[in-house]
């Protein structure tokens, strides 16, 4: 990992902006729990974040599958208050993740 590598947080664009922010924080916390070694190296060497959005839960699930296929560490947060649906994911830093996410817009651009 090199300086400037980002941890990617991707939330659902169909959520209100405030909810997107909170769900992204949950996803980051889940990633820290699931991948403590990756998180520690990222935090020490980079600590950069990207906060992006995907149109829906289905798109988040597709991105998770792509991350798995590319061997990118990933975590999903499932919000109990909305029936355990995925509201945000976190993807480990690196070039493979950058390529997976390069088409996604920034989060918090509007409200449903």
């Amino acid at each position: 990992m090199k300086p400037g590598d980002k941890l990617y947080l991707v939330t659902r664009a169909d959520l209100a902006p405030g909810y997107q922010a909170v769900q992204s924080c949950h996803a980051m916390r889940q990633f820290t729990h699931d991948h403590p070694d990756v998180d520690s190296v990222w935090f020490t060497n980079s600590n950069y974040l990207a906060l992006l959005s995907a149109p829906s839960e289905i798109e988040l699930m597709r991105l998770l599958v792509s991350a798995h296929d590319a061997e990118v560490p990933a975590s999903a947060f499932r919000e109990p208050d909305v029936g355990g649906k995925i509201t945000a994911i976190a993807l480990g830093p690196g070039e493979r993740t950058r390529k997976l996410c390069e088409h996604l817009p920034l989060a918090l651009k509007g409200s449903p």
Side-chain angles (χ1 to χ4, degrees), residues 11-20 23 54-55 60 82 86-88 110-112:
T11 188
R12 289 177 25 195
D14 62 340
L15 302 174
Y19 209 59
Q20 288 181 39
Q23 298 309 302
L60 286 180
V82 294
I86 296 174
T87 53
S111 63

Side-chain angles (χ1 to χ4, degrees), residues 8 10 52 63 91 96-104:
Y8 287 78
V10 186
L52 307 174
L63 188 54
L91 303 172
R96 291 175 292 182
T97 307
R98 187 192 65 73
K99 288 181 180 181
L100 287 173
C101 295
E102 65 188 0
H103 69 285
L104 297 173

Side-chain angles (χ1 to χ4, degrees), residues 6-107:
K6 297 175 183 143
L7 181 68
Y8 287 78
L9 306 174
V10 186
T11 188
R12 289 177 25 195
D14 62 340
L15 302 174
Y19 209 59
Q20 288 181 39
V22 170
Q23 298 309 302
S24 297
C25 292
H26 282 307
M28 184 174 177
R29 180 61 188 94
Q30 187 67 53
F31 186 89
T32 299
H33 174 77
D34 295 345
H35 307 281
D37 294 339
V38 174
D39 179 73
S40 179
V41 172
W42 165 78
F43 184 79
T44 301
N45 294 320
S46 175
N47 206 21
Y48 282 71
L49 291 169
L51 183 55
L52 307 174
S53 65
S56 65
E57 181 185 27
I58 290 171
E59 291 303 317
L60 286 180
M61 291 194 286
R62 286 183 180 139
L63 188 54
L64 277 173
V65 169
S66 295
H68 180 269
D69 291 347
E71 299 180 354
V72 169
S75 295
F77 181 73
R78 295 180 176 272
E79 176 56 66
D81 292 344
V82 294
K85 292 182 179 178
I86 296 174
T87 53
I89 64 173
L91 303 172
E95 183 61 22
R96 291 175 292 182
T97 307
R98 187 192 65 73
K99 288 181 180 181
L100 287 173
C101 295
E102 65 188 0
H103 69 285
L104 297 173
L106 294 174

